[in-house]
Amino acid sequence: MTTRVQTNSGGKPSTLDVDYAAAEILAINACHYVRFAQDKPVLKLYNFYYSIYWYWIVWFADVALLILPCIERPAYFTSVPTWVALIFEILALSILLASFIISMHLQNKRKLLHEAVYPYVFSVVFILSIIDMIIYYILISNTHRYIRWSRPLRVLFPFALQTGQNIRRVIRNILRTLPNIANVMFLFLLSVLTFTLLGVGILKNKKLTYPNGNEYFTYYLDTAWDLYVLTTTANNPDVMMPAFNNSILYVIFFMAYLLVNLYLFMNLLLAVIFSNYKQQLQEEQQVIRKRQLDTVLVIFERLSSDSSTNRISYETYTRLMHAIKSDITENIVEAYWKTLNIPNNEDGLSLTKFTELLFNLNFDLRQRSSEQTILQKKCPSIYNSKPSRVIIDFVNTGLFRAIINLLIIANAICLAASYNDLEWFFLASFVVEALLKMYAIGVKEYFHHRWNIFDFTIVFVSTTYSLLAAFVTNLSLNKDVLDAILVIRILRLVKLVGNIERFKVIFGTFSKVIPTLITYLRVMFMTYYIFAMIGMEIFQYRISYIDANTTLALACNDTRLINSEFARSQYCRNNFNDYFSSLIVLFELTVVNQWHVLASGFVLVTTKVARLFFLAFHLNAVIVVLNIFTAFVIDSFLNQYILSQSKKFPWVEQENIIAERLTEQGYRIIRRFEKENKSEGEEAAAKKKFNLKKSLHNFVQPSIYRRMTVVLQSMGEDERALLLRWSGNVDLDPDALLHLTDNTS
């Protein structure tokens, strides 16, 4: 433990102590683990560094470096001058350097350089990139050819920055998993080579050939390559057919090979990756949790106002809450205090209650907005009239939602049946739906929901495009774009499926897994980027696509590909002549199907050594990274699925405790999925069987002032009505925080 931080006179923590504590609490909840250099005024710099504006600036700089090959040689956009790429590269590197300098200034350099490796990685990669950039532009200005060998290193910049800690975590897990993967990989390759010896020994003297005339199981390396490809099933059963046609007994050899290497070793490899990945992830999480708890103890030590009681006073608590949330109201400050169930404000916060407060801050507690719509303010007589109340009540009924859902389904059926005569009817219906919703709940509230924004965007674009196509006769519009927009509208079916009770858990699990999934996809893209850069330097312009009916066009501009399977399959566009084409080829290799045909084309125009490039990509991207990606998806889905069905999970339990404590204090709590204006009797009635006659009767004879009465009552209760929902980070360890006791310090 660190020593107690000195406070000002009177035993109260200084403003600087409170601000530091607030920054560290925000860092914990946002998973920004910063080793603050507390001898420097870095809080403003910290707030700037983790602001949304600086985040997007650094993000654009990072993306700019990764898409820079689009205008670098060999470029997809060949008309862009060379100096444009130079300017973009200098700007991007300058922003990343500034981010690195700020990050180092924020933290304790001595401790950081002793514990972390990423500052050294950034420094080395940055220096090498600058040297390579200078040499490159000097040489190409003198029309010399030069290989940009530093381009594959660009993917290390996000890894080397402080904000790239999620990527570092994934890469660390991959690197720590590799030793155990290597053991299985060695046995797998040894098995392939052993079967290669058997295959060559059995079939070499048979003098068999492939249908294209190539020798069959004659040369050891060629046979090893064919059998490795067979492990991916890309050339099955083609590689077996010459032997099968000679004798049915040879099938036993290939069946044995597939059983051992495909069904045994490949599944064993996935099991080893999954097991080791999970173990490394648990160890990583333990380190994170220990760092969180250590930081919590340091914060409590700093804020303890009286060494005799070792508690945080209510005054310090209020200062801390205002420092954490600058726009927080006194009512919410008091409400968070009430969640701790402390009888008297004079008692202060013990370590146990302080850690519970940190956990409770992950629950978004705010006052429910009772802001009136524009029509309520400007035209209250019209909005509150009987016809208006009928419309508003109708929009808020399940009948209205059922009608819209039926229209969405009918629209999908018509599109599937290519029946377009009702398209204007559906379009008009969805426009009316949007207008009615805006009228009933207000424009601001309407655009507060993401699905409404999605619906409005699709309807607005499709309506505008359709009207232009119908009335502006001299305007040339692409009908394919309109068709695509109309088809995208059917994505609203996903919303319907997601509202079905039995699918809610699965969709909720997806929504929680996807954010972390993006980090793994980024690591996958880093692998693509490295191999794309290497592939462009090795294979650029070896294969070209010529849009002409000539011999060279059919042979991909190289006579060595004439009558090859690569050329016959019309794969000429699959080349490494530019950045986009390289990424497409690598994606096709990841899918595996026909990947050996793609590799064969580049082998024919170079040498058989080119197989090493495709072998290395398959081992790294498909077997290692993709399997770790699969392991992550399985593990995350299982964890989230189990937690979503568990009613005793600490998040759910704590939410119930908070709601119960606030209710006892006279607050009206609106939970995450709770519908605001329904009593228990109405909730029970809603679960009963749907009664069409009763629903129609309630709609035809609505209570005119029912909704307005509820609104007025809510406005009167506004000070005591609170919205409660979980908005925390999954990296937080609820058990560790909630069971941290005073004895721990």
Side-chain angles (χ1 to χ4, degrees), residues 656-675:
N656 293 332
I657 292 173
I658 291 173
E660 182 180 352
R661 288 175 177 175
L662 289 175
T663 302
E664 291 174 354
Q665 298 293 332
Y667 288 95
R668 186 164 64 89
I669 302 302
I670 302 167
R671 303 287 289 276
R672 288 176 293 176
F673 304 110
E674 185 179 333
K675 296 188 177 180

PDB file of all heavy atoms in Angstrom, residues 656-675:
ATOM      1  N   ASN A 656     -31.648  -4.563  -7.590  1.00  0.00           N
ATOM      2  CA  ASN A 656     -32.823  -4.766  -6.738  1.00  0.00           C
ATOM      3  C   ASN A 656     -32.652  -4.081  -5.384  1.00  0.00           C
ATOM      4  O   ASN A 656     -33.598  -3.499  -4.842  1.00  0.00           O
ATOM      5  CB  ASN A 656     -33.067  -6.263  -6.534  1.00  0.00           C
ATOM      6  CG  ASN A 656     -33.466  -6.962  -7.814  1.00  0.00           C
ATOM      7  OD1 ASN A 656     -34.044  -6.342  -8.706  1.00  0.00           O
ATOM      8  ND2 ASN A 656     -33.159  -8.237  -7.926  1.00  0.00           N
ATOM      9  N   ILE A 657     -31.441  -4.152  -4.848  1.00  0.00           N
ATOM     10  CA  ILE A 657     -31.170  -3.514  -3.555  1.00  0.00           C
ATOM     11  C   ILE A 657     -31.329  -1.999  -3.672  1.00  0.00           C
ATOM     12  O   ILE A 657     -31.947  -1.353  -2.813  1.00  0.00           O
ATOM     13  CB  ILE A 657     -29.754  -3.884  -3.070  1.00  0.00           C
ATOM     14  CG1 ILE A 657     -29.687  -5.368  -2.711  1.00  0.00           C
ATOM     15  CG2 ILE A 657     -29.357  -3.030  -1.873  1.00  0.00           C
ATOM     16  CD1 ILE A 657     -28.295  -5.855  -2.381  1.00  0.00           C
ATOM     17  N   ILE A 658     -30.767  -1.420  -4.745  1.00  0.00           N
ATOM     18  CA  ILE A 658     -30.860   0.030  -4.946  1.00  0.00           C
ATOM     19  C   ILE A 658     -32.316   0.454  -5.077  1.00  0.00           C
ATOM     20  O   ILE A 658     -32.758   1.433  -4.457  1.00  0.00           O
ATOM     21  CB  ILE A 658     -30.050   0.442  -6.197  1.00  0.00           C
ATOM     22  CG1 ILE A 658     -28.559   0.264  -5.938  1.00  0.00           C
ATOM     23  CG2 ILE A 658     -30.350   1.885  -6.586  1.00  0.00           C
ATOM     24  CD1 ILE A 658     -27.699   0.489  -7.168  1.00  0.00           C
ATOM     25  N   ALA A 659     -33.073  -0.271  -5.894  1.00  0.00           N
ATOM     26  CA  ALA A 659     -34.482   0.076  -6.106  1.00  0.00           C
ATOM     27  C   ALA A 659     -35.267  -0.018  -4.804  1.00  0.00           C
ATOM     28  O   ALA A 659     -36.102   0.848  -4.498  1.00  0.00           O
ATOM     29  CB  ALA A 659     -35.082  -0.848  -7.168  1.00  0.00           C
ATOM     30  N   GLU A 660     -34.993  -1.054  -4.015  1.00  0.00           N
ATOM     31  CA  GLU A 660     -35.722  -1.229  -2.755  1.00  0.00           C
ATOM     32  C   GLU A 660     -35.390  -0.111  -1.768  1.00  0.00           C
ATOM     33  O   GLU A 660     -36.289   0.448  -1.123  1.00  0.00           O
ATOM     34  CB  GLU A 660     -35.364  -2.588  -2.152  1.00  0.00           C
ATOM     35  CG  GLU A 660     -36.096  -2.896  -0.856  1.00  0.00           C
ATOM     36  CD  GLU A 660     -35.709  -4.249  -0.286  1.00  0.00           C
ATOM     37  OE1 GLU A 660     -34.996  -5.004  -0.988  1.00  0.00           O
ATOM     38  OE2 GLU A 660     -36.111  -4.543   0.853  1.00  0.00           O
ATOM     39  N   ARG A 661     -34.116   0.241  -1.666  1.00  0.00           N
ATOM     40  CA  ARG A 661     -33.710   1.288  -0.718  1.00  0.00           C
ATOM     41  C   ARG A 661     -34.283   2.652  -1.108  1.00  0.00           C
ATOM     42  O   ARG A 661     -34.730   3.416  -0.246  1.00  0.00           O
ATOM     43  CB  ARG A 661     -32.185   1.354  -0.649  1.00  0.00           C
ATOM     44  CG  ARG A 661     -31.560   0.163   0.081  1.00  0.00           C
ATOM     45  CD  ARG A 661     -30.050   0.208   0.014  1.00  0.00           C
ATOM     46  NE  ARG A 661     -29.453  -0.899   0.772  1.00  0.00           N
ATOM     47  CZ  ARG A 661     -28.145  -1.157   0.796  1.00  0.00           C
ATOM     48  NH1 ARG A 661     -27.299  -0.384   0.101  1.00  0.00           N
ATOM     49  NH2 ARG A 661     -27.672  -2.158   1.497  1.00  0.00           N
ATOM     50  N   LEU A 662     -34.268   2.965  -2.382  1.00  0.00           N
ATOM     51  CA  LEU A 662     -34.792   4.253  -2.823  1.00  0.00           C
ATOM     52  C   LEU A 662     -36.308   4.308  -2.681  1.00  0.00           C
ATOM     53  O   LEU A 662     -36.871   5.359  -2.355  1.00  0.00           O
ATOM     54  CB  LEU A 662     -34.380   4.517  -4.274  1.00  0.00           C
ATOM     55  CG  LEU A 662     -32.895   4.823  -4.494  1.00  0.00           C
ATOM     56  CD1 LEU A 662     -32.585   4.943  -5.981  1.00  0.00           C
ATOM     57  CD2 LEU A 662     -32.495   6.102  -3.778  1.00  0.00           C
ATOM     58  N   THR A 663     -36.963   3.187  -2.924  1.00  0.00           N
ATOM     59  CA  THR A 663     -38.420   3.144  -2.763  1.00  0.00           C
ATOM     60  C   THR A 663     -38.802   3.385  -1.305  1.00  0.00           C
ATOM     61  O   THR A 663     -39.779   4.087  -1.006  1.00  0.00           O
ATOM     62  CB  THR A 663     -38.965   1.782  -3.245  1.00  0.00           C
ATOM     63  OG1 THR A 663     -38.599   1.589  -4.615  1.00  0.00           O
ATOM     64  CG2 THR A 663     -40.482   1.745  -3.126  1.00  0.00           C
ATOM     65  N   GLU A 664     -38.036   2.823  -0.372  1.00  0.00           N
ATOM     66  CA  GLU A 664     -38.292   3.039   1.048  1.00  0.00           C
ATOM     67  C   GLU A 664     -38.120   4.503   1.432  1.00  0.00           C
ATOM     68  O   GLU A 664     -38.743   4.982   2.383  1.00  0.00           O
ATOM     69  CB  GLU A 664     -37.346   2.164   1.882  1.00  0.00           C
ATOM     70  CG  GLU A 664     -37.643   0.678   1.791  1.00  0.00           C
ATOM     71  CD  GLU A 664     -36.606  -0.155   2.514  1.00  0.00           C
ATOM     72  OE1 GLU A 664     -35.594   0.432   2.978  1.00  0.00           O
ATOM     73  OE2 GLU A 664     -36.790  -1.378   2.618  1.00  0.00           O
ATOM     74  N   GLN A 665     -37.267   5.215   0.686  1.00  0.00           N
ATOM     75  CA  GLN A 665     -37.035   6.632   0.965  1.00  0.00           C
ATOM     76  C   GLN A 665     -38.040   7.538   0.254  1.00  0.00           C
ATOM     77  O   GLN A 665     -37.912   8.759   0.287  1.00  0.00           O
ATOM     78  CB  GLN A 665     -35.616   7.017   0.528  1.00  0.00           C
ATOM     79  CG  GLN A 665     -34.515   6.285   1.266  1.00  0.00           C
ATOM     80  CD  GLN A 665     -34.445   6.664   2.735  1.00  0.00           C
ATOM     81  OE1 GLN A 665     -34.813   7.782   3.109  1.00  0.00           O
ATOM     82  NE2 GLN A 665     -33.993   5.728   3.564  1.00  0.00           N
ATOM     83  N   GLY A 666     -39.041   6.959  -0.404  1.00  0.00           N
ATOM     84  CA  GLY A 666     -40.092   7.744  -1.034  1.00  0.00           C
ATOM     85  C   GLY A 666     -39.882   8.048  -2.498  1.00  0.00           C
ATOM     86  O   GLY A 666     -40.671   8.789  -3.099  1.00  0.00           O
ATOM     87  N   TYR A 667     -38.842   7.475  -3.131  1.00  0.00           N
ATOM     88  CA  TYR A 667     -38.620   7.694  -4.563  1.00  0.00           C
ATOM     89  C   TYR A 667     -39.472   6.727  -5.374  1.00  0.00           C
ATOM     90  O   TYR A 667     -39.793   5.615  -4.921  1.00  0.00           O
ATOM     91  CB  TYR A 667     -37.142   7.481  -4.926  1.00  0.00           C
ATOM     92  CG  TYR A 667     -36.227   8.562  -4.435  1.00  0.00           C
ATOM     93  CD1 TYR A 667     -35.552   8.437  -3.225  1.00  0.00           C
ATOM     94  CD2 TYR A 667     -36.022   9.724  -5.183  1.00  0.00           C
ATOM     95  CE1 TYR A 667     -34.697   9.430  -2.764  1.00  0.00           C
ATOM     96  CE2 TYR A 667     -35.172  10.726  -4.732  1.00  0.00           C
ATOM     97  CZ  TYR A 667     -34.515  10.569  -3.521  1.00  0.00           C
ATOM     98  OH  TYR A 667     -33.682  11.557  -3.086  1.00  0.00           O
ATOM     99  N   ARG A 668     -39.849   7.155  -6.569  1.00  0.00           N
ATOM    100  CA  ARG A 668     -40.554   6.273  -7.516  1.00  0.00           C
ATOM    101  C   ARG A 668     -39.531   5.833  -8.558  1.00  0.00           C
ATOM    102  O   ARG A 668     -39.026   6.640  -9.331  1.00  0.00           O
ATOM    103  CB  ARG A 668     -41.719   6.994  -8.190  1.00  0.00           C
ATOM    104  CG  ARG A 668     -42.567   6.080  -9.077  1.00  0.00           C
ATOM    105  CD  ARG A 668     -43.909   6.738  -9.390  1.00  0.00           C
ATOM    106  NE  ARG A 668     -43.743   7.952 -10.169  1.00  0.00           N
ATOM    107  CZ  ARG A 668     -43.705   7.956 -11.515  1.00  0.00           C
ATOM    108  NH1 ARG A 668     -43.817   6.829 -12.185  1.00  0.00           N
ATOM    109  NH2 ARG A 668     -43.575   9.097 -12.170  1.00  0.00           N
ATOM    110  N   ILE A 669     -39.223   4.554  -8.574  1.00  0.00           N
ATOM    111  CA  ILE A 669     -38.145   4.028  -9.404  1.00  0.00           C
ATOM    112  C   ILE A 669     -38.722   3.408 -10.671  1.00  0.00           C
ATOM    113  O   ILE A 669     -39.656   2.602 -10.613  1.00  0.00           O
ATOM    114  CB  ILE A 669     -37.318   2.980  -8.638  1.00  0.00           C
ATOM    115  CG1 ILE A 669     -36.757   3.606  -7.363  1.00  0.00           C
ATOM    116  CG2 ILE A 669     -36.188   2.439  -9.498  1.00  0.00           C
ATOM    117  CD1 ILE A 669     -35.889   4.823  -7.627  1.00  0.00           C
ATOM    118  N   ILE A 670     -38.146   3.782 -11.797  1.00  0.00           N
ATOM    119  CA  ILE A 670     -38.518   3.208 -13.096  1.00  0.00           C
ATOM    120  C   ILE A 670     -37.343   2.375 -13.562  1.00  0.00           C
ATOM    121  O   ILE A 670     -36.265   2.896 -13.822  1.00  0.00           O
ATOM    122  CB  ILE A 670     -38.850   4.316 -14.114  1.00  0.00           C
ATOM    123  CG1 ILE A 670     -39.984   5.190 -13.564  1.00  0.00           C
ATOM    124  CG2 ILE A 670     -39.231   3.713 -15.458  1.00  0.00           C
ATOM    125  CD1 ILE A 670     -40.172   6.470 -14.333  1.00  0.00           C
ATOM    126  N   ARG A 671     -37.539   1.063 -13.635  1.00  0.00           N
ATOM    127  CA  ARG A 671     -36.449   0.136 -13.929  1.00  0.00           C
ATOM    128  C   ARG A 671     -36.146   0.102 -15.413  1.00  0.00           C
ATOM    129  O   ARG A 671     -36.797   0.735 -16.235  1.00  0.00           O
ATOM    130  CB  ARG A 671     -36.822  -1.269 -13.435  1.00  0.00           C
ATOM    131  CG  ARG A 671     -37.150  -1.317 -11.955  1.00  0.00           C
ATOM    132  CD  ARG A 671     -35.907  -1.185 -11.094  1.00  0.00           C
ATOM    133  NE  ARG A 671     -35.108  -2.394 -11.180  1.00  0.00           N
ATOM    134  CZ  ARG A 671     -35.333  -3.483 -10.443  1.00  0.00           C
ATOM    135  NH1 ARG A 671     -36.323  -3.503  -9.574  1.00  0.00           N
ATOM    136  NH2 ARG A 671     -34.571  -4.545 -10.556  1.00  0.00           N
ATOM    137  N   ARG A 672     -35.150  -0.715 -15.781  1.00  0.00           N
ATOM    138  CA  ARG A 672     -34.642  -0.754 -17.154  1.00  0.00           C
ATOM    139  C   ARG A 672     -35.719  -1.094 -18.174  1.00  0.00           C
ATOM    140  O   ARG A 672     -35.903  -0.401 -19.158  1.00  0.00           O
ATOM    141  CB  ARG A 672     -33.506  -1.781 -17.250  1.00  0.00           C
ATOM    142  CG  ARG A 672     -32.241  -1.339 -16.586  1.00  0.00           C
ATOM    143  CD  ARG A 672     -31.217  -2.449 -16.649  1.00  0.00           C
ATOM    144  NE  ARG A 672     -31.629  -3.592 -15.840  1.00  0.00           N
ATOM    145  CZ  ARG A 672     -30.953  -4.729 -15.772  1.00  0.00           C
ATOM    146  NH1 ARG A 672     -29.853  -4.879 -16.480  1.00  0.00           N
ATOM    147  NH2 ARG A 672     -31.353  -5.715 -15.011  1.00  0.00           N
ATOM    148  N   PHE A 673     -36.428  -2.193 -17.945  1.00  0.00           N
ATOM    149  CA  PHE A 673     -37.412  -2.650 -18.919  1.00  0.00           C
ATOM    150  C   PHE A 673     -38.829  -2.487 -18.389  1.00  0.00           C
ATOM    151  O   PHE A 673     -39.751  -3.127 -18.853  1.00  0.00           O
ATOM    152  CB  PHE A 673     -37.156  -4.109 -19.286  1.00  0.00           C
ATOM    153  CG  PHE A 673     -35.774  -4.344 -19.798  1.00  0.00           C
ATOM    154  CD1 PHE A 673     -34.851  -5.054 -19.054  1.00  0.00           C
ATOM    155  CD2 PHE A 673     -35.371  -3.824 -21.015  1.00  0.00           C
ATOM    156  CE1 PHE A 673     -33.571  -5.265 -19.526  1.00  0.00           C
ATOM    157  CE2 PHE A 673     -34.099  -4.022 -21.488  1.00  0.00           C
ATOM    158  CZ  PHE A 673     -33.196  -4.741 -20.748  1.00  0.00           C
ATOM    159  N   GLU A 674     -38.979  -1.641 -17.396  1.00  0.00           N
ATOM    160  CA  GLU A 674     -40.281  -1.440 -16.790  1.00  0.00           C
ATOM    161  C   GLU A 674     -41.048  -0.379 -17.550  1.00  0.00           C
ATOM    162  O   GLU A 674     -40.504   0.661 -17.911  1.00  0.00           O
ATOM    163  CB  GLU A 674     -40.100  -1.002 -15.339  1.00  0.00           C
ATOM    164  CG  GLU A 674     -41.398  -0.877 -14.571  1.00  0.00           C
ATOM    165  CD  GLU A 674     -41.114  -0.468 -13.133  1.00  0.00           C
ATOM    166  OE1 GLU A 674     -40.020  -0.781 -12.651  1.00  0.00           O
ATOM    167  OE2 GLU A 674     -41.973   0.166 -12.536  1.00  0.00           O
ATOM    168  N   LYS A 675     -42.297  -0.603 -17.830  1.00  0.00           N
ATOM    169  CA  LYS A 675     -43.122   0.378 -18.523  1.00  0.00           C
ATOM    170  C   LYS A 675     -43.706   1.344 -17.490  1.00  0.00           C
ATOM    171  O   LYS A 675     -44.296   0.930 -16.498  1.00  0.00           O
ATOM    172  CB  LYS A 675     -44.229  -0.325 -19.311  1.00  0.00           C
ATOM    173  CG  LYS A 675     -43.649  -1.197 -20.410  1.00  0.00           C
ATOM    174  CD  LYS A 675     -44.708  -1.751 -21.313  1.00  0.00           C
ATOM    175  CE  LYS A 675     -44.093  -2.562 -22.438  1.00  0.00           C
ATOM    176  NZ  LYS A 675     -45.080  -3.136 -23.345  1.00  0.00           N
TER     177      LYS A 675
END
